[in-house]
Amino acid sequence: MIIVMKTEATESQVMAIQKHIRELGFKDHLIRGVERNVVAVLGAVYPELLDEFSVLDGVDSAVRISKPFKLASREVKEEDTIVKVGPLEIGNGRLVVMAGPCSVDTEENVMVAARAVKAAGAHMLRGGAFKPRTSPYAFRGHGEKGLKILAAARAETGLPIVTEVMDARDVDLVARYADVLQIGSRNMQNFSLLDEVGKAQKPVLLKRGMWATIEEWLLAAEYILSHGNRDVILCERGIRSHETATRFTFDITAIPLVKRLSHLPIIADPSHATGKWYLVPPIALAAVAAGVDGIIIEVHPNPDHALSDGAQSLTPANFEKLMGQVRTLAEAVGRPVAPPIEQPAKKAVKKAS
Ligand code: PEP
Ligand code: MN
């Protein structure tokens, strides 16, 4: 249920409603709008509550939310959510590009990748220090050492970092280095991890589970939002289908559908969806045309030697070419690429150790 406040409702009327919600044993969640404020009531609400709240001072109406996800829903918040990451605003109508290697391997590779993607116009650096691998014998990431390498690349280029956290026990550690915490596809329904990133003070990039329906995905976002972290970015990264020629099946329809169902920004990951570098550019462009707020692309200076996902990684030259195409298309569909990130002032750059 949501309580829609009158446009002229005072702050103290809003606070009185929040207090009343808590006194009844529910959780409240205030959503400030441009026109009016809305207070969501979280918990097992019963029909009589609608009448009870609709007559209170400052209340315009009390409305039942039909969707199982509430805080993620457009019914609760009509306006698009804009997630701020340093100087960036994700979801403000300008396309944000995240790029970098699948996993942090060597400091040199990450630095070369970071400089290259920055020069081509990317706004954020991606790279995994904790890697979810299907086989326990595959390279599983350098952990904190990898986070330090990412931090060194950020210090030099100014690019904010998005990196995965796989375990609830590592959220504080990863949050010390990352600008955005990534929840990988395989962990989309790791509810204790969702609870933990919901309490973190960092934006969360929530990848769609490869088996997840859109409703399950938005309910996973709800876990994070319900803890008070409102900065959730959704990421469509392909789902399992009967097709084996591609790694996953990119669900292009999810983009406009999620935009309709939710106010949260959504980005596309054509690298993991396709699994093949030469399929990445066309799917990236399709996602831009379908209305994403950003794209995330795997780029490696030497894909043949990457420790993970080399087959789907673009070379810096191919990434630069894609950026040119993205710029043209994004302009044509009225969501131009965000301005470049400024170079940080030159200072002694600490080497990661
Ligand atoms: C990744 O981004 O490196 C990754 C492992 O992606 P996903 O969780 O979508 O498979
Ligand atoms: Mn990868």
Side-chain angles (χ1 to χ4, degrees):
M1 180 176 85
I2 53 166
I3 319 287
V4 182
M5 302 303 294
K6 289 182 173 150
T7 39
E8 68 274 14
T10 62
E11 245 346 86
S12 61
Q13 284 171 334
V14 174
M15 277 159 65
I17 295 293
Q18 290 178 288
K19 187 161 169 269
H20 192 54
I21 293 169
R22 277 180 235 140
E23 279 165 0
L24 289 171
F26 298 105
K27 254 174 104 174
D28 67 294
H29 193 100
L30 175 62
I31 299 133
R32 293 194 185 276
V34 179
E35 292 278 312
R36 57 176 85 208
N37 293 323
V38 167
V39 189
V41 186
L42 304 174
V45 295
Y46 40 88
E48 296 75 31
L49 274 185
L50 290 174
D51 292 338
E52 185 176 331
F53 274 94
S54 56
V55 295
L56 297 181
D57 284 350
V59 172
D60 180 78
S61 56
V63 186
R64 236 194 138 92
I65 300 301
S66 60
K67 299 281 188 302
F69 45 89
K70 315 284 179 200
L71 299 174
S73 165
R74 276 243 190 244
E75 286 181 87
V76 167
K77 183 171 182 272
E78 234 178 284
E79 298 140 31
D80 288 343
T81 286
I82 296 173
V83 175
K84 292 199 170 75
V85 182
L88 288 169
E89 289 193 339
I90 302 170
N92 74 349
R94 307 203 69 163
L95 194 85
V96 169
V97 180
M98 310 172 190
C102 173
S103 48
V104 173
D105 46 17
T106 65
E107 180 166 7
E108 195 195 334
N109 278 340
V110 174
M111 286 299 179
V112 172
R115 286 180 201 126
V117 301
K118 159 108 191 221
H123 308 94
M124 283 180 66
L125 177 66
R126 61 143 292 144
F130 291 94
K131 294 303 301 175
R133 302 306 299 274
T134 304
S135 162
Y137 308 120
F139 173 64
R140 293 165 71 182
H142 289 311
E144 187 168 7
K145 182 171 159 242
L147 297 173
K148 287 185 175 164
I149 293 176
L150 288 170
R154 171 180 52 204
E156 187 188 307
T157 59
L159 297 178
I161 297 163
V162 54
T163 192
E164 178 159 355
V165 55
M166 284 174 54
D167 191 311
R169 291 167 297 187
D170 292 330
V171 170
D172 286 345
L173 169 71
V174 179
R176 277 206 293 281
Y177 293 92
D179 298 286
V180 175
L181 300 169
Q182 179 174 321
I183 300 295
S185 181
R186 291 154 189 83
N187 267 323
M188 191 207 80
Q189 279 189 330
N190 179 339
F191 298 116
S192 43
L193 180 58
L194 298 178
D195 281 338
E196 226 39 57
V197 296
K199 293 179 213 150
Q201 310 291 317
K202 287 281 159 87
V204 177
L205 178 67
L206 179 64
K207 291 212 167 184
R208 181 179 182 179
M210 58 187 77
W211 26 255
T213 63
I214 288 172
E215 188 171 295
E216 288 163 343
W217 186 18
L218 292 174
L219 279 166
E222 192 79 12
Y223 265 82
I224 302 168
L225 297 169
S226 70
H227 285 286
N229 188 342
R230 295 158 194 229
D231 293 327
V232 177
I233 306 155
L234 301 165
C235 178
E236 166 58 44
R237 49 77 72 209
I239 49 176
R240 279 256 157 94
S241 76
H242 61 271
E243 184 56 73
T244 55
T246 46
R247 193 173 179 192
F248 295 95
T249 295
F250 187 73
D251 184 6
I252 191 101
T253 315
I255 296 160
L257 190 52
V258 164
K259 278 266 165 224
R260 191 183 167 91
L261 294 171
S262 178
H263 51 86
L264 296 172
I266 178 169
I267 70 164
D269 175 349
S271 305
H272 291 88
T274 60
K276 295 182 167 73
W277 68 269
Y278 51 86
L279 298 178
V280 170
I283 302 310
L285 294 170
V288 171
V292 284
D293 298 293
I295 51 176
I296 182 163
I297 309 283
E298 285 188 341
V299 177
H300 194 281
N302 193 350
D304 291 348
H305 289 91
L307 293 180
S308 58
D309 289 350
Q312 67 197 33
S313 298
L314 298 189
T315 58
N318 281 335
F319 178 68
E320 192 186 349
K321 193 167 152 213
L322 171 62
M323 282 303 290
Q325 295 166 335
V326 164
R327 257 184 224 105
T328 309
L329 181 67
E331 195 77 48
V333 294
R335 271 187 322 280
V337 172
I341 297 287
E342 274 182 35
Q343 192 66 31
K346 269 239 170 340
K347 54 179 180 236
V349 176
K350 268 221 302 237
K351 241 183 111 62
S353 55

